Amino acid sequence: MTLHANLKSLPVETEFSAANAAFMTSYLDSLTLVERLHRLLLDVIKDEFERVGVLEINAVQALLLFNIGENEVTAGELKTRGYYQGSNVSYNLKKLVDAGYMHHERSEIDRRSVRVRLTQKGRDIRLIVAKLFATHADGLVTRGVVDQKGIDDITSALRRIERYWTEQIRYIY
């Protein structure tokens, strides 16, 4: 069931003008699409890893490696920088360290804090993901799926929604 199917089942006291109802339907469709696109991205990465014979890590962990890049970060920084939204970041970091994709060391300043960075093995995974993304970017343009202005417009709209949601979270607290 899509999110907008739930629009009809809202309580009676939740009323929308025709224009607001149309916007609400489009908004819920876009939320569903963003969620579905994220799951598809993970599937695309998983398929690429199967194709190249990388079976030791999952797509979420690969994205984590891609986003860390050449940085040295803490688990907390991964969330605050927006690289990772999942609640199980510590689990994935431990798995990546144990599998040799990341180095970790305790901070000299705050012994509770652990800093991580990619090993060569982690950088190799990052390169696979980077090449996959480069192939996608080229395919989107050459097949006329979206051009520079289109992707800029999408990105701009998503950033505005991100800011709005961030403000809503701050407002709650």
Side-chain angles (χ1 to χ4, degrees):
M1 174 184 290
T2 61
L3 288 173
H4 70 79
N6 292 326
L7 186 59
K8 293 180 176 108
S9 65
L10 286 173
V12 176
E13 60 271 5
T14 307
E15 301 215 5
F16 299 98
S17 68
N20 285 346
F23 182 83
M24 179 74 154
T25 297
S26 294
Y27 174 61
L28 294 175
D29 280 344
S30 66
L31 293 178
T32 301
L33 184 57
V34 167
E35 181 183 7
R36 194 166 56 238
L37 285 171
H38 178 67
R39 286 193 310 266
L40 279 170
L41 173 63
L42 295 177
D43 286 344
V44 166
I45 293 169
K46 178 180 149 295
D47 288 350
E48 179 67 7
F49 278 13
E50 288 174 0
R51 190 184 71 72
V52 298
V54 175
L55 306 174
E56 192 175 30
I57 65 171
N58 64 40
V60 170
Q61 293 164 342
L63 275 177
L64 189 56
L65 294 172
F66 178 80
N67 287 321
I68 290 172
E70 295 303 316
N71 298 313
E72 184 174 291
V73 297
T74 65
E77 287 171 329
L78 289 173
K79 284 187 173 186
T80 58
R81 291 182 186 188
Y83 293 157
Y84 195 82
Q85 299 299 320
S87 60
N88 57 356
V89 65
S90 296
Y91 168 82
N92 281 315
L93 287 176
K94 181 178 179 347
K95 287 292 208 182
L96 291 167
V97 167
D98 290 348
Y101 293 98
M102 300 184 85
H103 291 294
H104 75 290
E105 62 185 61
R106 293 228 172 264
S107 169
E108 292 296 321
I109 299 165
D110 180 357
R111 300 301 292 167
R112 298 168 297 172
S113 177
V114 175
R115 301 198 62 79
V116 295
R117 69 182 186 284
L118 303 186
T119 63
Q120 183 57 51
K121 191 174 174 183
R123 287 191 295 278
D124 293 344
I125 293 298
R126 183 174 188 265
L127 183 59
I128 291 169
V129 175
K131 285 179 180 178
L132 177 66
F133 289 167
T135 300
H136 290 168
D138 184 57
L140 288 167
V141 170
T142 58
R143 292 183 184 175
V145 175
V146 67
D147 62 8
Q148 184 69 51
K149 181 182 179 339
I151 202 72
D152 288 345
D153 289 346
I154 291 166
T155 302
S156 177
L158 290 172
R159 284 206 170 111
R160 289 191 307 270
I161 292 170
E162 178 185 38
R163 277 193 302 275
Y164 175 78
W165 285 350
T166 300
E167 289 169 6
Q168 297 306 300
I169 293 168
R170 288 186 185 136
Y171 179 75
I172 291 169
Y173 300 107

